[in-house]
Amino acid sequence: MSSQNRTRRETWAEAVKPILEAIEARRDEALLEYTVKFDGVNQIEAVDLTTFTPPTEYDELTDALTLAAERIRAFHERQRRDDDVFEDEMFRLGRRYMPLDSVGVYVPGGTAVYPSSVLMNVIPAKVAGVNRVVMVTPPKPDGIDVSLLIAAKIAGADECYLVGGAQAVAALAFGTETIRPVDKIVGPGNAYVATAKALVSHIVGIDSVAGPSEVLIIADETANPKWVAADLLAQAEHDVEATALALVSTDRMARAVKEELARQLSDLPRRDIAIEALERGGVVVKSKDEAIRQANEMAAEHVQLAVENPDDYMRQIRHGGSFFLGHEAAEAFGDYIAGPNHVLPTSGTARFSSGLSVDDFYRRQTFLQMTELDETVTRAAIRIAKQEQLEGHARAMAARLEDL
């Protein structure tokens, strides 16, 4: 970690720690103080999703979110786990999957709102069998964005509270008079939300501490430069810290993509953000082997393979959060409606972690039952216990042999 990044993280932690401590100690009283201070709202409001009905002017959006939810749910239902039980000569052994009792889903509500994130975080939790899914999102003086409530209703969220920031994370972790604590907190947020999640991760599960979004596009001579440019901008418009990088096979393709970028940027609403983000990425010429090597080093959140033979490339790229194969597979489809989860590892963490799935909402528990006391196995275990100088362990097992 660079010294600059370390300093920034320390600054965020210094700002967040007092908020966590205050809410742990004073609960709703402190939560309300921070809601007034940061959001200009003087109440902690709960939204009853059971009585919420989408306004008719949102029918088209409701239909779109319903279709997306159906596809996301269908993909995640294939990830359900069945208990695994087997027997050998001495034990009945197994592993069972128990859903978490409760999950908190943080949903940003600042300059941009993301109903797609509601679907992506709530649906796999409900598919896993989580009984209580709690959504929190920052309040606004003019009320919550209706699209978030529509998505929450469709996805099956059980509770919704209009609180945000580090104070919402603290409320989910420690509990208040209004908001009961949860077992795990998931969902995106700004640096202060991410820092709060990291700081409470010793008492509650979290999905990850996500960094800025990333796309790595590998494009050969068969790629459409218009599409490659559009896909770069789709990523770059997220945030000035986003990474949008295309590795193309020839100078001719590089020129064509850059021309398209200039043309498409001219009327992009988030043009200034995209331009700044592209400074850390852009378009670079690389051979196939060099592109694959860089992809494995980068371990990007999204890896888009705009090539003639995408499966061949994917077989050689070990590290990536999610792969988008072929020219038609824009990464944006994955953000909204394809089915796989869009909550993915960033900042190189795809080397050791995976995207959000139903697995994240299970606890895996093992069990064993004696079916027959085997002397050879028991004496082997006793020998190991004695080697570790744990005589009580050895005696506990030896007692069974003595009473045969």
Side-chain angles (χ1 to χ4, degrees):
M1 184 191 304
S2 69
S3 59
Q4 181 181 12
N5 285 339
R6 185 178 298 108
T7 299
R8 291 166 70 185
R9 292 192 180 189
E10 290 172 353
T11 300
W12 296 329
E14 289 173 3
V16 167
K17 284 178 181 177
I19 297 173
L20 303 182
E21 293 168 354
I23 289 175
E24 183 179 17
R26 297 190 290 115
R27 306 170 75 190
D28 268 354
E29 179 186 8
L31 180 59
L32 180 58
E33 287 177 8
Y34 287 115
T35 299
V36 173
K37 178 179 179 180
F38 293 126
D39 298 307
V41 175
N42 61 1
Q43 63 176 330
I44 303 169
E45 183 179 353
V47 178
D48 186 353
L49 293 171
T50 63
T51 61
F52 169 73
T53 302
T56 56
E57 62 266 32
Y58 286 85
D59 284 352
E60 185 178 0
L61 176 63
T62 300
D63 289 344
L65 289 171
T66 299
L67 175 59
E70 290 170 353
R71 296 188 58 82
I72 295 164
R73 188 173 291 109
F75 181 86
H76 287 81
E77 282 177 348
R78 298 178 66 89
Q79 300 171 359
R80 289 182 190 272
R81 297 283 191 167
D82 294 322
D83 293 350
D84 178 27
V85 183
F86 66 97
E87 291 189 17
D88 62 17
E89 68 279 359
M90 187 173 175
F91 294 103
R92 185 172 74 95
L93 304 167
R95 180 167 63 173
R96 68 174 186 166
Y97 294 87
M98 293 293 292
L100 302 178
D101 290 338
S102 57
V103 168
V105 175
Y106 189 93
V107 179
T111 56
V113 294
Y114 301 106
S116 61
S117 285
V118 178
L119 303 183
M120 293 290 183
N121 284 276
V122 174
I123 288 174
K126 298 307 290 187
V127 168
V130 177
N131 285 325
R132 176 174 170 253
V133 177
V134 183
M135 185 176 100
V136 294
T137 190
K140 294 181 179 180
D142 57 349
I144 185 174
D145 190 287
V146 174
S147 69
L148 298 182
L149 294 181
I150 296 172
K153 178 95 171 185
I154 292 169
D158 300 291
E159 301 172 27
C160 176
Y161 299 96
L162 303 190
V163 291
Q167 59 271 24
V169 174
L172 291 171
F174 301 119
T176 74
E177 291 88 350
T178 299
I179 303 174
R180 288 182 290 138
V182 298
D183 298 319
K184 188 168 190 173
I185 302 171
V186 300
N190 63 20
Y192 297 98
V193 169
T195 300
K197 286 168 65 178
L199 291 175
V200 300
S201 61
H202 64 293
I203 63 167
V204 66
I206 65 170
D207 50 355
S208 64
V209 180
S213 194
E214 310 154 345
V215 69
L216 172 64
I217 302 174
I218 299 178
D220 65 11
E221 274 296 284
T222 66
N224 184 328
K226 175 183 175 181
W227 294 0
V228 173
D231 293 339
L232 284 172
L233 293 179
Q235 198 68 34
E237 73 174 353
H238 268 293
D239 189 291
V240 295
E241 298 291 331
T243 297
L245 173 63
L247 305 180
V248 301
S249 58
T250 65
D251 291 331
R252 188 193 70 80
M253 179 61 70
R255 288 192 298 271
V257 173
K258 289 176 182 178
E259 289 171 3
E260 278 293 334
L261 282 172
R263 184 183 67 80
Q264 294 180 35
L265 272 167
S266 63
D267 62 349
L268 188 71
R270 295 168 69 89
R271 178 177 182 273
D272 293 342
I273 293 172
I275 289 173
E276 188 169 346
L278 284 170
E279 291 178 357
R280 74 184 65 255
V283 185
V284 180
V285 178
K286 294 281 186 180
S287 69
K288 175 182 177 180
D289 289 344
E290 290 172 334
I292 289 171
R293 179 186 55 77
Q294 185 162 341
N296 279 318
E297 289 179 356
M298 185 175 173
E301 178 186 16
H302 308 101
V303 181
Q304 197 167 327
L305 300 176
V307 296
E308 188 173 17
N309 51 343
D311 286 342
D312 176 52
Y313 280 74
M314 187 171 67
R315 279 191 291 269
Q316 299 177 69
I317 299 174
R318 294 176 51 79
H319 307 308
S322 187
F323 290 81
F324 302 82
L325 308 182
H327 302 305
E328 289 78 12
E331 182 275 321
F333 284 121
D335 284 341
Y336 298 116
I337 206 163
N341 209 286
H342 76 198
V343 180
L344 299 166
T346 61
S347 306
T349 59
R351 292 178 295 107
F352 55 81
S353 60
S354 308
L356 195 70
S357 74
V358 172
D359 284 341
D360 291 287
F361 301 101
Y362 286 128
R363 294 159 291 156
R364 295 175 294 279
Q365 302 170 332
T366 60
F367 61 86
L368 65 87
Q369 180 181 10
M370 301 289 289
T371 55
E372 183 177 343
L373 191 61
D374 183 273
E375 184 173 354
T376 300
V377 171
T378 304
R379 292 198 182 281
I382 291 170
R383 178 65 184 85
I384 296 169
K386 288 181 175 292
Q387 180 65 34
E388 295 182 352
Q389 300 182 33
L390 294 173
E391 184 63 27
H393 284 63
R395 291 179 181 180
M397 294 179 286
R400 269 71 178 175
L401 287 180
E402 292 167 1
D403 291 340
L404 278 179

